[in-house]
Amino acid sequence: MPKILSVNAGSSSLKFKLYAMPAETVIMSGLVDRIGHSDAVFTYDYQGTHYKKAQAVQNHTEAVQLVTDALLDSGAVRDKQEIVGIGHRVAHGGREYTQTTKITPVVQQKIADLATISPLHNPVNLLGIEAFEKLLPSASEVAVFDTSFHSTIPPKAYMYALPFEYYAKYGIRRYGFHGQSHQYIYSEVNRRYDQDFSRKIISCHLGNGASVCAIRDGKSVNTSMGFTPLAGLVMGTRSGDVDPNVLPFIAEKENFSADDIRQLLNHQSGLLGISGVSNDVRDVLQAEADGNDRAKLALQIYVHQIQSYIAAYTADLGGLQTLVFTAGVGEHSAPIRERVCAAFGYLGVKIDAEANRDNDLDISAADSRVKVLVIPTNEELVIARETEKVLDS
Ligand code: ADP
């Protein structure tokens, strides 16, 4: 069976999963964490055993060397040639890449050029691509863009009401992210349920980063992240939507540069910024239970913003059949799901308290008019599927 490696390279981490396709069997999965540090950690799971090694890892090439050595030494692959494809998660495909694309030098250059609008992610995604190119040259490399799934969003939802020239000159528009996750959610709803539940879906990806996506007939028609992954929902440390005039106001008052403002919006805002406690929903819930008023307020704003998007997207979809929660918070936090759903009695959303507490797949009450699901996301699998599709075409 052909083997496909799914790769997600971040600034200091590299996650991977090796699949046997088309069976979609996971052969090995792992993570090199704290790349660039002397106390980096390499963990992987193979044949039911968990391995962990701590050692210095200077850069992404060293991280990829560790991964390829582990794949060969463990026997997961006997020969490098067995890995026919490597699918890379790439954050931003801009206007150019509306589909998964085989990586060529031209594509690599375009991914590099798109760093002007995705400075935090595209350059590190490229580091992963370059390292695998060096160490597994026989495998075809494929870019699976976060933005591609959202290429079906219509102009009325992706344009900002700025002077048109900025769209023309710089491609300033909504792109959306977490595409692999929302695509997986659609594929799971479609696989498990009939058309009465799969034609109008709202997918809530609530992790460190968070976004909501409206999916009609398998296609994204709107999503809460925008030109960058900062827009939309309140996140761990990201602000989500704010009145744009607040930014020059703060910059003038505090004598902040554009970089200071970016730092404030991306790293000091969100749940952390409001609560002053943590970016982690678990900590903020605990603080709320301990009587911390700012933690309580942070959670109210967090939930309210999710509700606002669900309500708006119900209009985009002309109704709602299935509401899905996924990612760290969506998959594990019963109180957040319960609070979000509490606003939608008017739509006929009703959840079963026990099923919700147990993080069951289907948490809707028997008489709910909308199906409410908890589906663990699987972005790596979408990357492997997309890679296989491109290699077969
Ligand atoms: P990422 O967005 O980095 O991929 P995840 O989807 O894994 O992250 O989500 C991580 C977040 O999920 C954590 O920061 C934490 O806030 C949240 N989380 C994980 N488990 C729980 C839980 N049981 N209750 C509430 N939040 C949780």
Side-chain angles (χ1 to χ4, degrees):
M1 257 188 216
K3 291 172 181 155
I4 287 181
L5 195 60
S6 180
V7 175
N8 185 352
S11 55
S12 63
S13 68
L14 189 130
K15 275 193 228 163
F16 70 96
K17 258 189 196 175
L18 181 70
Y19 287 93
M21 299 299 277
E24 302 186 346
T25 319
V26 177
I27 303 170
M28 183 191 277
S29 66
L31 165 73
V32 186
D33 209 3
R34 297 185 55 76
I35 296 173
H37 294 86
S38 54
D39 58 345
V41 185
F42 177 35
T43 49
Y44 65 91
D45 292 283
Y46 178 60
Q47 293 191 331
T49 308
H50 182 70
Y51 297 84
K52 183 171 178 177
K53 290 183 199 168
Q55 65 186 93
V57 179
Q58 302 295 339
N59 51 42
H60 285 74
T61 307
E62 284 188 21
V64 171
Q65 185 72 61
L66 280 178
V67 172
T68 46
D69 287 350
L71 289 168
L72 287 162
D73 296 346
S74 65
V77 295
R78 278 186 301 274
D79 188 298
K80 283 182 178 179
Q81 314 268 351
E82 284 177 25
I83 301 175
V84 294
I86 305 171
H88 292 271
R89 179 175 184 182
V90 178
H92 219 306
R95 281 182 290 191
E96 284 88 350
Y97 298 115
T98 56
Q99 285 187 352
T100 299
T101 305
K102 207 163 162 184
I103 296 172
T104 63
V106 172
V107 174
Q108 254 167 295
Q109 187 54 51
K110 286 242 169 86
I111 293 172
D113 294 345
L114 284 163
T116 54
I117 53 177
S118 174
L120 297 181
H121 298 104
N122 275 34
V124 294
N125 300 151
L126 258 186
L127 291 178
I129 292 170
E130 287 160 2
F132 274 102
E133 195 176 25
K134 243 185 266 166
L135 295 167
L136 277 180
S138 54
S140 298
E141 292 195 288
V142 168
V144 186
F145 299 96
D146 265 58
T147 47
S148 299
F149 182 63
H150 302 299
S151 65
T152 44
I153 293 178
K156 68 178 178 184
Y158 74 60
M159 288 300 289
Y160 296 127
L162 294 168
F164 190 82
E165 69 195 83
Y166 297 107
Y167 168 71
K169 251 207 281 196
Y170 304 122
I172 293 179
R173 49 160 280 185
R174 179 189 307 283
Y175 289 99
F177 297 85
H178 289 144
Q180 299 89 345
S181 178
H182 295 303
Q183 185 174 342
Y184 179 75
I185 294 306
Y186 170 72
S187 72
E188 277 300 286
V189 176
N190 188 49
R191 181 175 75 83
R192 292 168 184 273
Y193 301 98
D194 65 28
Q195 287 218 333
D196 291 344
F197 298 107
S198 64
R199 299 199 59 210
K200 296 174 183 181
I201 300 169
I202 293 179
S203 164
C204 303
H205 177 112
L206 309 177
N208 267 319
S211 68
V212 181
C213 181
I215 306 169
R216 187 170 27 204
D217 295 324
K219 293 191 166 67
S220 171
V221 293
N222 209 347
T223 194
S224 58
M225 283 178 167
F227 180 60
T228 73
L230 179 65
L233 301 180
V234 175
M235 303 178 219
T237 61
R238 286 177 240 168
S239 62
D241 298 338
V242 292
D243 176 348
N245 253 340
V246 167
L247 309 176
F249 181 88
I250 293 178
E252 280 165 18
K253 288 277 180 204
E254 303 275 333
N255 202 15
F256 278 180
S257 66
D259 257 354
D260 295 333
I261 290 288
R262 263 185 224 114
Q263 181 71 17
L264 177 112
L265 293 170
N266 282 287
H267 302 293
Q268 295 160 16
S269 298
L271 285 173
L272 174 68
I274 306 163
S275 71
V277 172
S278 168
N279 63 319
D280 191 314
V281 168
R282 285 167 292 198
D283 300 336
V284 186
L285 280 166
Q286 186 56 54
E288 178 195 49
D290 295 342
N292 182 322
D293 285 341
R294 268 172 58 188
K296 182 176 175 184
L297 176 65
L299 291 165
Q300 286 172 341
I301 301 169
Y302 178 85
V303 166
H304 179 252
Q305 188 75 333
I306 300 168
Q307 290 168 335
S308 302
Y309 272 98
I310 293 173
Y313 289 176
T314 300
D316 263 309
L317 293 172
L320 177 62
Q321 294 171 328
T322 299
L323 177 64
V324 186
F325 291 94
T326 191
V329 181
E331 291 165 29
H332 301 112
S333 186
I336 295 296
R337 292 191 301 256
E338 185 190 330
R339 292 178 199 189
V340 168
C341 289
F344 298 107
Y346 75 93
L347 281 179
V349 171
K350 244 196 211 176
I351 61 171
D352 179 290
E354 202 176 316
N356 186 41
R357 195 193 53 218
D358 295 344
N359 301 321
D360 283 355
L361 165 70
D362 187 345
I363 62 169
S364 15
D367 57 345
S368 183
R369 288 207 306 274
V370 173
K371 201 166 264 311
V372 187
L373 303 176
V374 178
I375 300 180
T377 195
N378 196 342
E379 290 150 310
E380 299 85 359
L381 180 56
V382 168
I383 293 170
R385 284 176 182 165
E386 287 282 305
T387 302
E388 186 187 33
K389 216 162 58 185
V390 164
L391 295 184
D392 284 351
S393 64

